Amino acid sequence: MTNADPTPTLASEYINPEAAVAPGYLANHVSRVFNRLVDARLRRHDLSLALLGPLLWLSWKGPLLQRDLVRLSAVKQPAMVALLDKLEAAGMIERETSNTDRRAATVRLTHRGQDAAAAGRVVLLEVNAEAVAGFAPEETGAVVALLSRLIENLERSGT
């Protein structure tokens, strides 16, 4: 984008002009770019964005039942089991069968998992800061408020 051309660089010959001004497309594009950057940086810590999710929930909430992790993260049960299997194999979590319900497992972070969650949090904060580099605090607040409203509108629309 130049000073003489107010067209966003996104509106190139490779993107349909209608998509380039569509909030849903732009939000999806931001998500893809953000996730790609975060995943690349998390690889240095032997993590991915998918693996980081349960670690952050456990870091924030403390030990949780596996079914609560599924509910909180909106990840389907089979996918969560696979994520937790990987995290357990990497020594980042421990699972313990509940004394009251043998079908339920409590998941807790190990010290290694706590360190991984902390490293992942730093990566997320860094990429978020880069995303709003050059924004005034009011602009960052406006972006957050507008995206929150966009999410609320879409969630209210249902399926």
Side-chain angles (χ1 to χ4, degrees), residues 13 94 137:
E13 62 187 84
E94 296 173 336

Side-chain angles (χ1 to χ4, degrees), residues 2-146:
T2 67
N3 290 339
D5 181 8
T7 307
T9 52
L10 208 65
S12 71
E13 62 187 84
Y14 302 107
I15 299 172
N16 182 308
E18 291 175 347
V21 296
Y25 171 81
L26 294 172
N28 187 43
H29 190 77
V30 165
S31 177
R32 287 192 320 267
V33 173
F34 180 85
N35 291 348
R36 186 173 57 237
L37 291 171
V38 169
D39 264 334
R41 293 181 192 184
L42 287 175
R43 272 188 232 114
R44 300 175 199 153
H45 304 281
D46 296 323
L47 287 172
S48 67
L49 197 52
L51 291 171
L52 184 59
L55 294 176
L56 290 177
W57 276 112
L58 293 166
S59 173
W60 181 39
K61 295 283 194 180
L64 291 168
L65 290 174
Q66 186 171 307
R67 66 175 167 245
D68 292 333
L69 274 171
V70 169
R71 182 182 50 79
L72 289 167
S73 63
V75 172
K76 302 275 189 221
Q77 176 71 19
M80 181 58 74
V81 169
L83 291 172
L84 295 178
D85 286 347
K86 288 179 184 177
L87 291 169
E88 190 171 36
M92 294 183 196
I93 64 158
E94 296 173 336
R95 288 186 270 195
E96 183 178 305
T97 304
S98 170
N99 293 333
T100 57
D101 183 353
R102 297 186 56 88
R103 296 169 297 165
T106 300
V107 183
R108 66 177 34 85
L109 288 178
T110 62
H111 291 295
R112 186 171 182 181
Q114 291 169 354
D115 291 345
R121 189 176 298 108
V122 167
V123 168
L124 290 171
L125 291 171
E126 287 172 353
V127 176
N128 272 292
E130 290 169 22
V132 296
F135 285 31
E138 304 79 39
E139 291 173 314
T140 300
V143 168
V144 170
L146 291 170

Side-chain angles (χ1 to χ4, degrees), residues 141-158:
V143 168
V144 170
L146 291 170
L147 287 172
S148 296
R149 284 177 48 201
L150 186 71
I151 291 166
E152 288 172 13
N153 288 345
L154 292 172
E155 286 180 344
R156 201 173 17 258
S157 294

